[in-house]
Amino acid sequence: MIELPAPNPVTLARRANIAAAMRAVVPDGVIGDEATLTAFDCDALTAYRQRPLLCVLPANTDQVAAVLAYAARENIRIVPRGAGTSLSGGALPLADGILLGLSRMNRILDIDFENRCVVVQPGVTNASVTKAVQAAGFYYAPDPSSQIACTIGGNVAENSGGIHCLKYGLTTQNLMGVELVLMTGERLRLGGKHGGDGGLDLLSVVCGSEGLLGVVTEATLRILLRPPVTRTLLIAFDSVRAAGETVAAIIAGGIIPAALEFMDRRCIATVEAFCAPGYPPDAEAILIAEIDGVPAEVGDDAARIDQIARGLGATELRTCASEAERTCVWSGRKAAFGAMGRLEPDMLCMDGTIPRRALPDVLDRISALSDQYGLVCCNVFHAGDGNLHPLIVFDCMRAGELERAEAFGADILKLCVAVGGVLTGEHGVGVEKKGLMGEMFSDADLAQQEKLKCAFDGMGLLNPGKVFPTLHACVELGRMHVHDGRMPFGNLPRM
Ligand SMILES: Cc1cc2nc3c(=O)[nH]c(=O)nc-3n(C[C@H](O)[C@H](O)[C@H](O)COP(=O)(O)OP(=O)(O)OC[C@H]3O[C@@H](n4cnc5c(N)ncnc54)[C@H](O)[C@@H]3O)c2cc1C
């Protein structure tokens, strides 16, 4: 089970005063009644729930700055939230914290084709960025499967990826600048429309910082011209191993498809029953490969993928003949997480990334762990990046199942680290994986990361209880002594 920082009783007792102060700042955007607050009690990691102290929905950057400055003065914790689609519990509220919802800040501020960028507020959804520029032939490349709901602020905080990140990169490769409000209410501008920047690369630090360093109130995003040709292939295999080997061989052959996605038999059947994308019913595994570029390059890559896949035992290879067919194939992949609701009411989505050559062995091991824990696990993932998403389905209401699912998930992530991979490819650490950070980072690594956090948020008020396994107050970092079981500086708030 996850642990959140103990609520501050002083803050809890002052709830009515804090609500009044927040109404003075955001008159039309404070939610305080318990019934409505319940709607905000979890993100997409629904196994963990906590009603926030209050929910505040600012409409502009001045209001964000005023809320944060007030919270810093009054020692109140803040949890930023976009659309609440985090799969790692990054936007899970705190009982004594203000949930700062950025969804009202949803304007596209500037579309600049000359500089190939778009400037947006943080509550703009990922899909709206492409929608705003597609008539001119442009698009925004990072495309999480949650893209119709998730916000750019959340994408920046999680360094989100998606199906097309193999070739075009994650958010960090497509982010040119941000405006960031610090806990003090001060504003920073990092990067911008220009290329390059002086000073330390703080933009890269902020991207993926999971709401721990500041609140993103504006983002400048790189947009790309749609390639002239896109071809989508659906390749079936009669073994998971053959599909895994094909992924490794395609990349080793020097081909970088725009997307290279994997699904196993159980996932194929569940998705098929959910939205009928027409996947081969008898396949043990499928790959969806998408290649784009100029016609000659696409034709050549498609022929080589065909040759590699058939050489490694592909049983069927289809090329989508129309845009409608392509949309249909992708609709199944994008609906895969939601389709798991047909199997069980609850799901943990793991997010480890491994070196591609380890794919076949790791998939075999996950299957053995599934038997060992007696829990169903479906595999659907960004195979080209080695970014696994084992979906463990279970029912929280059955005694002990959540704990078993957590232990199963932890074993998968430890396995990813053991084969040379990492705990998270794109979903962030949040509350879900913070207990496993020690598997990947030394004490010195973690202390250094926490010191960076302190440089942005010295009081540890921004999204505490996420990412770091241990709560430290900034003043004690690097000299932590516990005497008679008592922590030093017990009166100070801890991150
Ligand atoms: C069905 C489904 C499919 C998904 N598919 C993908 C996928 O393909 N690829 C992928 O990468 N992810 C995927 N996700 C995960 C999720 O959608 C992403 O992590 C997304 O970026 C979260 O955005 P959000 O607006 O919902 O943020 P939230 O969930 O609200 O917040 C996520 C984190 O960002 C912080 N945050 C939010 N807004 C701000 C801000 N303005 N400033 C500072 N911090 C902020 C929060 O504190 C929290 O730590 C999927 C989720 C679901 C439910």
Side-chain angles (χ1 to χ4, degrees):
M1 290 300 291
I2 53 128
E3 264 182 53
L4 291 175
N8 181 341
V10 178
T11 308
L12 294 178
R14 295 183 50 227
R15 188 170 175 278
N17 291 346
I18 297 168
M22 288 296 90
R23 283 198 182 94
V25 178
V26 189
D28 58 345
V30 178
I31 297 170
D33 70 287
E34 298 207 338
T36 315
L37 284 178
T38 302
F40 294 86
D41 71 358
C42 69
D43 55 22
L45 184 63
T46 53
Y48 310 116
R49 291 171 188 270
Q50 172 61 59
R51 225 173 12 215
L53 182 77
L54 292 171
C55 179
V56 178
L57 305 169
N60 56 53
T61 303
D62 287 344
Q63 290 182 348
V64 172
V67 170
L68 294 188
Y70 168 83
R73 275 196 312 274
E74 303 292 327
N75 193 28
I76 300 165
R77 292 162 169 161
I78 296 280
V79 177
R81 179 177 288 190
T85 66
S86 167
L87 288 162
S88 58
L92 180 69
L94 296 169
D96 63 346
I98 293 174
L99 189 71
L100 189 70
L102 282 310
S103 54
R104 286 174 75 197
M105 294 178 64
N106 61 358
R107 286 187 15 245
I108 294 182
L109 302 173
D110 183 18
I111 296 177
D112 181 345
F113 291 121
E114 280 82 8
N115 287 303
R116 293 205 175 184
C117 64
V118 173
V119 182
V120 301
Q121 290 187 321
V124 166
T125 62
N126 173 291
S128 321
V129 180
T130 290
K131 217 170 176 182
V133 296
Q134 65 190 5
F138 285 84
Y139 74 112
Y140 176 58
D143 56 347
S145 300
S146 53
Q147 67 189 141
I148 55 167
C150 68
T151 67
I152 292 299
N155 291 180
V156 171
E158 299 286 16
N159 186 19
S160 296
I163 284 161
H164 290 94
C165 291
L166 174 59
K167 184 168 178 183
Y168 296 104
L170 291 108
T171 301
T172 191
Q173 280 89 24
N174 294 277
L175 181 69
M176 298 171 70
V178 292
E179 179 187 62
L180 189 75
V181 180
L182 301 179
M183 246 340 272
T184 52
E186 290 164 289
R187 299 170 196 208
L188 293 188
R189 278 200 170 269
L190 306 172
K193 289 185 178 184
H194 48 83
D197 215 350
L200 299 182
D201 184 5
L202 294 182
L203 183 60
S204 299
V205 171
V206 166
C207 188
S209 61
E210 303 198 29
L212 265 68
L213 303 186
V215 175
V216 175
T217 47
E218 192 185 290
T220 305
L221 308 172
R222 175 171 295 116
I223 50 171
L224 302 175
L225 254 187
R226 276 240 179 257
V229 181
T230 300
R231 197 173 298 176
T232 307
L233 312 174
L234 186 62
I235 315 170
F237 297 86
D238 58 11
S239 84
V240 164
R241 183 162 278 273
E245 284 168 353
T246 301
V247 170
I250 289 171
I251 304 293
I255 305 167
I256 305 290
L260 187 54
E261 297 289 309
F262 172 102
M263 246 188 233
D264 69 8
R265 172 184 271 280
R266 206 179 321 240
C267 193
I268 297 167
T270 310
V271 168
E272 199 56 40
F274 182 65
C275 60
Y279 295 154
D282 300 324
E284 279 302 318
I286 57 168
L287 292 178
I288 306 172
E290 188 154 280
I291 27 193
D292 61 15
V294 294
E297 178 191 9
V298 170
D300 188 55
D301 283 351
R304 289 172 62 210
I305 289 175
D306 185 308
Q307 193 186 19
I308 291 170
R310 289 187 199 279
L312 287 165
T315 50
E316 186 182 342
L317 198 144
R318 281 188 223 158
T319 302
C320 292
S322 64
E323 188 54 29
E325 203 180 318
R326 175 175 172 257
T327 305
C328 189
V329 164
W330 281 122
S331 70
R333 168 61 187 88
K334 294 205 173 193
F337 290 8
M340 295 300 127
R342 294 183 71 87
L343 299 178
E344 292 284 8
D346 297 296
M347 177 185 88
L348 289 184
C349 170
M350 296 295 113
D351 177 42
T353 297
I354 57 170
R356 276 175 294 256
R357 68 172 182 285
L359 268 176
D361 289 339
V362 168
L363 292 174
D364 281 351
R365 188 76 192 104
I366 291 174
S367 169
L369 285 168
S370 170
D371 294 342
Q372 179 188 321
Y373 282 99
L375 290 172
V376 169
C377 177
C378 295
N379 285 295
V380 49
F381 58 88
H382 309 308
D385 311 86
N387 182 197
L388 305 180
H389 290 328
L391 306 175
I392 303 171
V393 293
F394 63 101
D395 185 348
C396 261
M397 302 306 283
R398 286 199 285 266
E401 262 195 25
L402 172 60
E403 291 72 18
R404 251 190 306 141
E406 286 177 329
F408 180 9
D411 277 356
I412 293 176
L413 295 178
K414 286 178 194 168
L415 173 64
C416 292
V417 175
V419 300
V422 294
L423 291 174
T424 172
E426 54 179 15
H427 295 169
V429 176
V431 291
E432 185 205 18
K433 308 175 193 89
K434 64 177 181 167
L436 294 170
M437 289 286 273
E439 296 288 324
M440 212 175 117
F441 297 108
S442 69
D443 288 350
D445 291 334
L446 287 171
Q448 200 58 38
Q449 291 183 35
E450 286 184 72
K451 285 178 196 163
L452 187 60
K453 153 81 171 164
C454 291
F456 281 79
D457 172 25
M459 293 179 73
L461 291 174
L462 208 45
N463 218 2
K466 317 287 168 69
V467 179
F468 295 117
T470 318
L471 297 173
H472 288 137
C474 289
V475 291
E476 64 179 307
L477 273 175
R479 42 203 165 95
M480 172 78 152
H481 305 290
V482 179
H483 296 293
D484 301 328
R486 277 174 315 187
M487 303 277 276
F489 311 109
N491 57 326
L492 291 174
R494 289 163 195 276
M495 340 186 294

